[in-house]
Amino acid sequence: MKFQALAALALLAAAPVMAAPVTIDFETAPEWAPIAEHYAASGVRFGGGAEGLRNQDPDFVYFSNNPSPVGILVGNAAAATMNVDGGFSGAFSFWYSSLDAVLGGVSIWSGLDGNGTLLASFDLAGNAQDGCDGATYCNFDLLSTSFSGVAYSVTFAEAIGYDDVTFNAVPEPASALLMGLGLAGLAASRRRRK
């Protein structure tokens, strides 16, 4: 009975194996500077032209009506790349604002830095000025998808505003191992009872 209780406890301790969605909202991203390692504590790194943009100039508003009001991601002079250290799977979503339609504007890849197999791709509509005026990027639309496999990077087309990028991180190997040990313990305990 003690062994069964320990196995159940190990299984409960491993409950966070299904990682909660991670959202990068760019609220603390640097202003007109590379985002680079800014979100490294979350296992996310940015490359290419990935820069933060904030409405800090009182005389000019770059964007409005985005889901997180302080900052956004832009690919400045080059496409932006987001790498996720442990990978992500299942679902991916983001908000965007684009002056022009862009085919394949956002792509999800099985390798780092936009390499490997293309797992999913988004065509972006020119939506930046739909129903509003004033800011360059004043309308943001949500796009989302489900995909198979494990992705390690996303590429974002340049000169488009992006916000609230959300993905499901792949569970840590240690948590998966702990859950596996708990399940093995439960199976062993059942075998002993028979």
Side-chain angles (χ1 to χ4, degrees), residues 13-193:
V17 166
M18 298 311 290
V22 174
T23 298
I24 305 295
D25 61 16
F26 306 103
E27 296 298 88
T28 62
E31 170 72 12
W32 284 122
I35 297 173
E37 303 287 320
H38 187 76
Y39 295 100
S42 298
V44 179
R45 290 164 173 63
F46 287 86
E51 293 189 357
L53 179 60
R54 303 172 120 207
N55 281 330
Q56 292 186 338
D57 183 349
D59 298 325
F60 188 81
V61 176
Y62 294 108
F63 56 88
S64 60
N65 303 315
N66 52 311
S68 299
V70 177
I72 64 173
L73 160 71
V74 291
N76 188 22
T81 302
M82 178 181 84
N83 290 317
V84 179
D85 291 345
F88 60 98
S89 64
F92 181 80
S93 67
F94 62 96
W95 292 79
Y96 81 98
S97 184
S98 178
L99 292 170
D100 300 307
V102 179
L103 295 176
V106 174
S107 298
I108 301 171
W109 299 91
S110 66
L112 294 173
D113 298 318
N115 292 303
T117 302
L118 179 64
L119 301 175
S121 183
F122 297 89
D123 294 334
L124 307 179
N127 67 341
Q129 296 294 309
D130 290 351
C132 54
D133 58 64
T136 303
Y137 302 106
C138 66
N139 179 62
F140 282 76
D141 290 332
L142 175 66
L143 289 179
S144 63
T145 192
S146 294
F147 63 93
S148 296
V150 176
Y152 287 90
S153 66
V154 179
T155 52
F156 300 90
E158 67 180 292
I160 297 171
Y162 303 95
D163 204 4
D164 284 15
V165 173
T166 303
F167 56 89
N168 295 321
V170 170
E172 297 175 22
S175 297
L177 177 63
L178 187 57
M179 183 174 171
L181 289 173
L183 290 172
L186 286 174
S189 124
R190 275 206 167 148
R191 247 187 252 141
R192 283 185 184 174
R193 285 172 55 194

